[in-house]
Amino acid sequence: QVQLVESGGGLVQAGGSLRLSCAASGRTLSSYSMAWFRQAPGKEREFVGIIRWSGGYTYYADSVKGRFTISRDNAKNTVYLQMNSLKPEDTAVYYCAAANRRWMPDKYDYWGQGTQVTVSS
């Protein structure tokens, strides 16, 4: 069993930056692809990006490409989402998710509880 805990959310002005963390306990994340999703009020959950379990390969949604960066520190069992040039439309609850040795899966094995990001205009 893996427990995922997101942190780092908050209120930021448009154009600002935030770095979210997703810390895991229970098992090492080194064999998991790690993804970030977000869900704004009244909207469906949206894929943000993903990092492969090995090789550091990443893929991003067009809406965040060039502004957001996912990285991982397997020694700390933590994945990060660096968000730059934030826009009001980035306001959402952000979730991390883990998939064991699968790339862009339909379903994820574990989810965090989410962290709120609010971008003011």
Side-chain angles (χ1 to χ4, degrees), residues 25-64:
S25 61
R27 284 184 186 175
T28 176
L29 289 181
S30 60
S31 64
Y32 289 83
S33 284
M34 297 298 299
W36 287 94
F37 289 80
R38 65 186 182 185
Q39 188 166 21
K43 295 187 177 181
E44 293 188 353
R45 186 171 59 197
E46 175 189 20
F47 171 82
V48 173
I50 188 171
I51 185 167
R52 198 173 181 268
W53 68 90
S54 67
Y57 189 76
T58 55
Y59 179 82
Y60 299 96
D62 287 343
S63 58
V64 306

Side-chain angles (χ1 to χ4, degrees), residues 36 58 60 64 66-71 80-84:
W36 287 94
T58 55
Y60 299 96
V64 306
R67 299 189 298 122
F68 290 13
T69 303
I70 298 175
S71 61
Y80 303 98
L81 178 64
Q82 178 67 44
M83 305 185 294
N84 299 328

